[in-house]
């Protein structure tokens, strides 16, 4: 997808997150259990009445979530949930199998019942490590209706293989610990982006051997072994295809003693899901394997939906490990109507999903507004972006649907089906300006976006400005030869700051990349930057942020000093 360097929240939270990232965490896990057998589904006694109710509820669901108005309360409150009532406590270790009412194999819980994961994908952990913590995950569980978190772990783009392994290892451990304590499922995602994963297969082997051995007895861990490959056929007999890579990494995971679900990426940013059926890993005896489909509602319409339907009809187990309600750039137009059509199709086929992305980066795919300070949960309605509002409405509606099915005593009156009872509309309510294609509207990149998803709500500007801005700066994620810096500007007055802002500061390195601001000049390590056109006005109570990547000598510590604004 769309993955780029991001924006950062309140300086104190960033600094604290950086310290946490380098710390070790405990080893007592509330839901840790002995190794589970992949045959556990066959050993379970399935409640056929409950299975029928679930299938009927899912197959009749039609999504109609709003992105403008919350239908549920989001106050930042948390719940005291007993271990046996958490998602993992209720559903246990997951596997892949068949379930009455659904055509293709799907996720099955420890009781043999079909089960849908509804998850949050982080942004790149090397850029936004501060959101990987128990407080953030608990808010997603308790108020957002989620039961899973996906950790996006880039091998490249300044990630795991490019100087950030220590930090990212710490965040994996913290993330799995948090999810385990909360009884949530967690996906460890080797976030390959825009290349053939065979290029880093040796390193992927080491990574997955390490974590499969570490978490082989955990009921809540899932492995995603290549996020969005490109230019690589699923199978062509070349020994350099995706089948070869996935078989190789799956073998490593199984040899390490883990029978966890494995998610395999597909070609063209995980869109070519229909190619898998010609050569699935099950042909070589592998179990608990699923294949990923990714979509962005502002870009992907009938063409990709038809690929999904073809794959399901062929018996391919599908997992949507990443999607967004905007276009494939991550910062383009939002199509709520098409997003709802997608969720209808996924739910009626019991397909699990994770939405991109948990952060406050100034783009339309982010759950949180840039003014949302907290990185540890406790978010309220005013913190949510359009994506955040839609996501809460969607997940809570599904949570309510399933709760009703679980408590209902009525028997289904019709045979459940895997196809919608009426074909959902696959086009937005208004015709898109360009013909949808299978390719993203622009090539996904790791460069930051410069336009926010929406403009802030703008009250009438006062005739005379007496506004002042205060600044906070922070550096985190120092990997020796580089670091990430962020500066926040806050207007705590009752007047608007008009006509743009200019910030001067010194650094211990040179800026390699900057987002949400533009460099006016620099002499040595002294920089002058100014606002973009869209964030030049800072309204009363508003905060704007900009960030940058520093290149520096490994012998020096990254720092931002002498910050002034005018």
């Amino acid at each position: 997808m769309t993955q780029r360097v991001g924006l950062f929240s309140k300086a104190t939270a960033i600094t604290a997150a950086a310290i946490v990232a380098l710390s070790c965490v405990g080893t007592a896990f509330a839901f840790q259990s002995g190794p589970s057998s992949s045959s556990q589904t066959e050993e379970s006694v399935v409640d056929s009445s409950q299975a029928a109710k679930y299938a009927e509820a899912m197959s009749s669901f039609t999504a109609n979530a709003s992105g403008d108005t919350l239908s549920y309360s989001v106050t930042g409150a948390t719940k005291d949930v007993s271990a046996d009532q958490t998602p993992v406590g209720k559903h246990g270790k997951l596997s892949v199998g068949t379930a009455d009412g659904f055509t293709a194999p799907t996720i099955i819980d420890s009781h043999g019942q079909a089960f849908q994961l509804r998850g949050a994908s982080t942004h790149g952990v090397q850029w936004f490590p501060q959101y990987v913590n128990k407080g953030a995950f608990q808010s997603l569980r308790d108020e957002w209706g989620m039961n899973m978190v996906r950790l996006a772990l880039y091998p490249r783009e300044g990630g795991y293989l490019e100087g950030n392994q220590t930090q990212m290892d710490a965040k994996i451990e913290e993330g799995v610990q948090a999810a385990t304590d909360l009884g949530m499922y967690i996906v460890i995602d080797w976030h390959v982006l825009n290349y053939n994963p065979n290029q880093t297969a040796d390193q992927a082997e080491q990574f997955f051997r390490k974590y499969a051995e570490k978490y082989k007895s955990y009921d809540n861990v899932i492995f995603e072994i290549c996020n969005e490959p490109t230019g690589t056929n699923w199978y062509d007999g070349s020994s350099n295809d995706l089948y070869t890579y996935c078989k190789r990494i799956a073998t490593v995971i199984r040899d390490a003693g883990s029978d966890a679900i494995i998610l395999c990426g597909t070609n063209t940013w995980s869109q070519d899901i229909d190619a898998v059926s010609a050569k699935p890993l099950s042909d070589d005896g592998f179990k608990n394997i699923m294949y990923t489909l990714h979509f962005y509602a502002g870009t992907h319409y009938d063409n990709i939906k038809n690929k999904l339907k073809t794959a399901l009809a062929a018996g391919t187990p599908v997992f949507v490990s990443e999607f967004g309600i905007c276009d494939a750039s991550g910062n383009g137009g939002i199509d709520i109507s098409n997003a709802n059509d997608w969720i209808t199709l996924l739910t009626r086929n019991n397909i699990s999903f994770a939405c991109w992305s948990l952060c406050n980066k100034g783009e339309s795919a982010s759950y949180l507004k840039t003014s949302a300070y907290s990185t540890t949960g406790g978010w309220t309605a005013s913190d949510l972006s359009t994506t955040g509002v839609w996501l809460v409405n969607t997940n809570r509606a599904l949570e309510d649907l399933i709760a009703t099915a679980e408590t209902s005593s009525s028997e289904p009156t019709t045979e459940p089906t895997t196809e919608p009872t009426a074909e959902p509309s696959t086009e937005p309510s208004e015709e898109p300006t360009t013909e949808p294609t299978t390719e993203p509207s622009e090539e996904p990149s790791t460069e930051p976006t410069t336009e926010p998803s929406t403009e802030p709500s703008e009250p009438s500007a006062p005739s005379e400005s007496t506004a002042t801005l205060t600044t906070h700066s922070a550096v985190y994620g120092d990997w020796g030869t580089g670091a990430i810096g962020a500066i926040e500007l806050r207007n705590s007055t009752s007047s608007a700051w008009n006509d743009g802002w200019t910030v001067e500061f010194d650094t211990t390195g040179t800026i390699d990349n900057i987002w949400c601001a533009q460099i006016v000049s620099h002499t040595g390590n002294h920089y002058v930057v100014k606002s973009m056109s869209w964030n030049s006005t800072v309204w009363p109570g508003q905060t704007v942020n900009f960030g940058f990547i520093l290149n520096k000598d490994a012998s020096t510590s990254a720092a931002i000093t002498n910050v002034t604004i005018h």
Side-chain angles (χ1 to χ4, degrees):
M1 181 280 11
T2 129
Q3 295 43 321
R4 298 182 186 56
V5 180
L7 282 176
F8 303 93
S9 291
K10 201 168 184 179
T12 53
I14 295 170
T15 305
I19 295 170
V20 170
L22 297 175
S23 65
C24 294
V25 294
T27 56
F29 295 87
F31 290 93
Q32 188 170 345
S33 65
S36 301
S37 167
S38 60
S39 64
Q40 113 183 62
T41 297
E42 289 77 13
E43 296 171 358
S44 302
V45 177
V46 179
D47 182 338
S48 59
S49 174
Q50 183 59 46
K53 294 174 192 175
Y54 178 89
E56 181 185 37
M58 298 293 275
S59 65
S60 63
F61 177 77
T62 300
N64 62 353
S66 169
D68 298 322
T69 305
L70 271 173
S71 301
Y72 300 87
S73 176
V74 177
T75 65
T78 58
K79 300 176 183 177
D80 185 11
V81 181
S82 62
D84 63 342
Q85 292 303 305
T86 64
V88 177
K90 292 171 68 174
H91 297 280
K93 189 174 183 67
L94 306 179
S95 58
V96 180
T98 59
D100 289 344
F102 303 105
T103 299
T106 188
I107 288 182
I108 304 295
D109 72 8
S110 62
H111 311 293
Q113 302 277 9
F115 178 61
Q116 185 188 47
L117 292 170
R118 305 180 303 275
S121 178
T122 69
H123 204 296
V125 171
Q126 75 271 39
W127 298 315
F128 289 89
Q130 64 268 39
Y131 290 94
V132 180
N133 61 77
K134 186 175 180 179
F137 292 4
Q138 184 164 7
S139 284
L140 297 177
R141 185 195 71 177
D142 291 353
E143 284 204 314
W144 293 50
M146 294 186 175
N147 52 28
M148 178 192 77
V149 176
R150 175 192 190 229
L151 302 180
L153 305 157
Y154 287 74
R156 295 180 176 177
E157 292 83 28
Y160 197 86
L161 302 180
E162 296 183 355
N164 259 328
Q165 178 177 340
T166 299
Q167 180 195 42
M168 293 170 80
D169 278 336
K171 297 311 285 188
I172 294 168
E173 193 160 348
E174 183 179 359
V176 174
Q177 168 81 61
T180 304
D181 287 348
L182 293 166
M184 299 177 74
Y185 296 92
I186 189 160
V187 176
I188 297 176
D189 161 35
W190 187 248
H191 204 84
V192 168
L193 180 65
N194 296 344
Y195 59 92
N196 184 335
N198 286 291
Q199 295 172 15
T200 56
D202 290 345
Q203 297 93 327
E205 270 199 8
Q206 295 171 15
F207 177 89
F208 284 107
R209 182 178 294 109
K210 171 181 178 177
Y211 283 108
E213 290 176 349
K214 185 178 183 70
Y215 296 126
K216 63 187 177 183
S217 63
Y218 286 58
D219 289 350
N220 62 329
V221 174
I222 295 170
F223 296 111
E224 183 173 0
I225 61 179
C226 53
N227 163 60
E228 289 186 350
T230 54
T232 314
N233 292 329
W234 171 252
Y235 180 77
D236 58 18
S238 67
S239 298
N240 197 40
D241 50 27
L242 291 174
Y243 179 86
T244 300
Y245 170 84
C246 291
K247 180 179 177 181
R248 176 179 177 181
I249 303 305
T251 299
V252 167
I253 292 170
R254 296 295 183 248
D255 287 350
S258 172
D259 62 353
I261 291 175
I262 298 172
L263 309 181
C264 300
T266 56
N267 195 23
T268 317
W269 299 284
S270 282
Q271 292 169 31
D272 294 347
I273 189 71
D274 53 332
V276 171
S277 61
K279 186 73 170 175
L281 289 183
S282 58
D283 285 358
D284 282 318
F286 287 93
K287 297 180 179 180
N288 291 340
I289 305 290
M290 304 189 83
Y291 305 90
T292 62
L293 172 71
H294 292 179
F295 71 86
Y296 282 81
T299 298
H300 302 126
Y301 294 86
D302 277 351
N303 46 352
I304 307 301
K305 290 174 188 171
N306 288 337
K307 284 176 174 282
L308 172 58
K309 292 174 184 178
T310 298
L312 293 173
T316 301
V318 179
F319 193 116
V320 174
S321 59
E322 183 181 312
F323 78 95
I325 69 172
C326 61
D327 76 12
S329 72
N331 195 35
I334 287 174
D335 192 334
I336 295 291
S337 175
N338 194 38
N340 284 331
D341 288 342
W342 268 107
I343 293 299
T344 298
L345 181 59
L346 299 187
T347 300
R348 292 184 180 188
N349 288 281
N350 199 57
I351 295 173
S352 297
F353 56 79
C355 185
W356 184 271
S357 67
L358 173 60
C359 68
N360 72 339
K361 183 182 176 183
E363 64 179 19
S364 49
S366 302
Y367 302 174
L368 304 171
K369 297 175 182 176
T370 57
S371 57
Y373 296 136
S374 176
T375 59
T376 56
W379 302 295
T380 62
S382 63
D383 293 322
L384 273 56
S385 68
T386 300
T387 290
V389 169
W390 178 89
L391 191 58
V392 169
N393 287 339
T394 296
N395 286 326
R396 291 285 294 274
L398 285 167
E399 189 175 54
D400 289 350
L401 174 83
I402 294 165
T404 300
E406 288 176 346
T407 57
S408 171
S409 59
S410 61
E411 294 297 321
T413 56
T414 59
E415 183 69 15
T417 66
T418 58
E419 290 298 317
T421 54
E423 182 70 17
S425 168
T426 57
E427 294 300 320
S429 55
E430 297 181 11
E431 192 67 25
T433 55
T434 58
E435 182 71 16
T437 67
T438 58
E439 296 299 317
S441 56
E442 58 177 323
E443 185 75 359
S445 73
T446 56
E447 294 300 311
T449 56
T450 57
E451 291 294 325
S453 57
T454 57
E455 293 294 328
S457 173
E458 299 190 2
S460 299
S463 56
E464 187 174 327
S465 176
T466 58
T468 58
L469 299 181
T470 57
T471 65
H472 298 280
S473 61
V475 172
Y476 86 101
D478 190 327
W479 57 89
T481 58
I484 298 171
I487 295 179
E488 170 193 281
L489 314 177
R490 179 169 177 79
N491 182 357
S492 299
T493 70
S494 59
S495 301
W497 177 284
N498 296 308
D499 303 323
W501 43 264
T502 301
V503 177
E504 298 191 37
F505 57 94
D506 296 323
T507 72
T508 51
T510 57
I511 293 179
D512 179 61
N513 203 336
I514 189 167
W515 50 96
C516 299
Q518 50 192 320
I519 296 174
V520 175
S521 64
H522 78 95
T523 303
N525 292 339
H526 181 79
Y527 281 83
V528 179
V529 306
K530 69 176 185 178
S531 55
M532 310 295 293
S533 61
W534 51 266
N535 61 3
S536 59
T537 298
V538 186
W539 300 99
Q542 186 187 8
T543 298
V544 298
N545 306 265
F546 66 90
F548 45 86
I549 294 178
L550 287 172
N551 283 331
K552 66 179 188 67
D553 189 277
S555 63
T556 62
S557 297
I560 302 170
T561 57
N562 303 321
V563 180
T564 60
I565 184 167
H566 50 85

